[in-house]
Amino acid sequence: MDFTFTDDQLTFREAISRFLMTEAAPELLREIWETDVGRSADLRGKIAEQGLTALSVPEAFGGLGMNDIAWSLMTQELGYYAIPDSLADTAYVAAGLLNRLADDHPVKASLLPRIADGSVRLAIGHPVNPLVADAALAEWLILAHGDDVHVVPRAQVDVQASASIDASRRLSQVSWAPSPDTLLVAGDAGRGLWAETLNRGALSVAGQLLGLAQRMLDLSVDYVAQRKQFGKPIGSFQAVKHHLADVASKIEFAKPVLYRAAHALAKGEVRADVYVSQARLACCDASWLAARQGIQVHGAMGYTWEVDLQMFMKRAWSLDPGWGDRALHKSRVAAYVLGDNARLGPGSTFEE
């Protein structure tokens, strides 16, 4: 079995990383955060030009036709550069939901090409999320009414802003009235679609948390190499080295868990829920440790606006409860591990 990423996936990741390195520098992000909407239409347009919004849209609708495995790399880049946008919700999670509809469905035919070219913003109100990201800025909202899936125009939704510790996370409570005109999928089909959407949303958050963890580690390593005490860089002290080595270990152990979950979701495996929840927990642990140790080595100044660490730390904290809190994901893993038919051990990682 080939466990490596394809050349196309790796080349695309490298191109996106180089692009975001120049177009999403921390000083530019601060300027965007301080605007009324907290979003940059110019940045989003440039990201679309790079092809990121088209990544998982089928070729028949103007996209690149890649799957969850490619997104496990891309979400890490969105996290690493703390992109102040719910781009993954539109281009990955919502696109995945729409991909499950029949090709001749009018909503699919209408929205997927616009997702690909970056001209539409969607917000998703999954039942596990009490608040909806970017609801006020979205053109359409995908919302739940019981098991039913509705696609609702922004004009029919009442939005009440809710504060977040992360200034770039624009969260809202939404109120709306379902109607036959907004119904997309009903009943059992809707329940299955919401379950798959939860997995995709949780995997999206997991990838972003892993990228955030890596960025916080890199910032901490740079800082301890420059800050001196007793005439020496503090990075030369053994205790500091151990703190950061613990973070690096967490990140490296979380990566294969994330990629295994992406593979399970892309292949429609029956235990995809378990793999996604395991990845969500592993990546969350890595980001929390990276934030905690980052503050440890920066000191209290790491919380201040002038220091870059606070941007990534706050993003990790605000993403932590998104798409299912720890209790939900722990319960999904526990239900499988403690079940009678659990297939555990290295010989059961992949089916033949």
Side-chain angles (χ1 to χ4, degrees):
M1 183 176 289
D2 186 358
F3 292 97
T4 60
F5 291 99
T6 67
D7 289 341
D8 287 345
Q9 291 166 344
L10 294 174
T11 300
F12 194 77
R13 178 183 188 173
E14 183 179 353
I16 291 296
S17 182
R18 287 199 306 267
F19 165 78
L20 294 178
M21 186 183 302
T22 56
E23 297 293 338
E27 57 270 19
L28 298 177
L29 296 183
R30 285 186 175 85
E31 294 178 5
I32 296 173
W33 283 24
E34 293 180 312
T35 63
D36 290 338
V37 296
R39 298 289 178 266
S40 169
D42 180 59
L43 177 59
R44 191 178 179 92
K46 290 179 178 179
I47 291 174
E49 289 176 359
Q50 296 297 311
L52 188 55
T53 54
L55 189 64
S56 57
V57 174
E59 294 181 12
F61 294 93
L64 300 177
M66 295 189 184
N67 60 17
D68 304 278
I69 297 173
W71 272 108
S72 69
L73 297 175
M74 294 304 109
T75 51
Q76 289 182 64
E77 297 303 322
L78 295 178
Y80 190 86
Y81 293 100
I83 299 304
D85 201 305
S86 58
L87 184 142
D89 285 354
T90 295
Y92 176 39
V93 184
L97 186 152
L98 295 173
N99 280 337
R100 299 290 290 169
L101 304 177
D103 286 344
D104 59 352
H105 196 291
V107 173
K108 180 176 183 176
S110 170
L111 291 181
L112 278 182
R114 296 189 61 200
I115 290 175
D117 65 23
S119 63
V120 67
R121 184 191 299 275
L122 304 175
I124 307 175
H126 193 282
V128 300
N129 293 327
L131 301 175
V132 182
D134 275 12
L137 305 174
E139 183 179 341
W140 295 88
L141 290 87
I142 301 177
L143 301 171
H145 182 255
D147 291 333
D148 298 345
V149 182
H150 289 257
V151 177
V152 188
R154 170 65 181 84
Q156 296 181 22
V157 180
D158 179 57
V159 175
Q160 299 293 327
S162 182
S164 171
I165 191 174
D166 176 3
S168 72
R169 286 278 286 169
R170 300 304 167 99
L171 304 173
S172 303
Q173 294 180 331
V174 301
S175 302
W176 61 290
S179 73
D181 292 336
T182 62
L183 181 63
L184 188 65
V185 180
D188 291 342
R191 187 184 309 114
L193 201 54
W194 279 129
E196 185 176 313
T197 300
L198 170 59
N199 283 338
R200 197 158 277 121
L203 197 65
S204 171
V205 168
Q208 292 178 68
L209 288 172
L210 194 58
L212 287 162
Q214 185 64 60
R215 185 61 176 270
M216 288 186 283
L217 175 60
D218 290 348
L219 289 171
S220 298
V221 169
D222 289 344
Y223 180 78
V224 301
Q226 299 173 26
R227 175 72 185 274
K228 292 185 178 181
Q229 284 185 350
F230 310 111
K232 296 181 179 181
I234 63 173
S236 65
F237 301 141
Q238 190 175 54
V240 174
K241 292 179 181 179
H242 286 175
H243 281 319
L244 300 183
D246 288 344
V247 178
S249 297
K250 280 280 188 180
I251 292 172
E252 291 307 312
F253 276 104
K255 284 181 181 179
V257 182
L258 174 69
Y259 301 150
R260 178 64 183 94
H263 179 275
L265 196 53
K267 302 301 182 182
E269 296 184 12
V270 294
R271 293 195 297 274
D273 292 2
V274 179
Y275 291 122
V276 168
S277 288
Q278 183 188 14
R280 179 73 169 74
L281 292 167
C283 294
C284 182
D285 284 348
S287 70
W288 271 74
L289 185 63
R292 186 162 59 248
Q293 305 294 39
I295 282 293
Q296 182 72 25
V297 300
H298 276 78
M301 67 176 294
Y303 287 104
T304 62
W305 179 256
E306 292 77 13
V307 177
D308 291 344
L309 178 70
Q310 56 89 19
M311 302 174 66
F312 304 94
M313 182 173 62
K314 292 173 182 175
R315 176 64 57 80
W317 290 342
S318 66
L319 281 178
D320 178 66
W323 294 99
D325 58 17
R326 295 191 190 198
L328 182 149
H329 292 292
K330 284 182 178 180
S331 67
R332 297 209 305 181
V333 173
Y336 174 70
V337 171
L338 301 178
D340 294 335
N341 299 316
R343 289 174 52 82
L344 304 176
S348 302
T349 300
F350 288 92
E351 303 290 351
E352 291 295 336

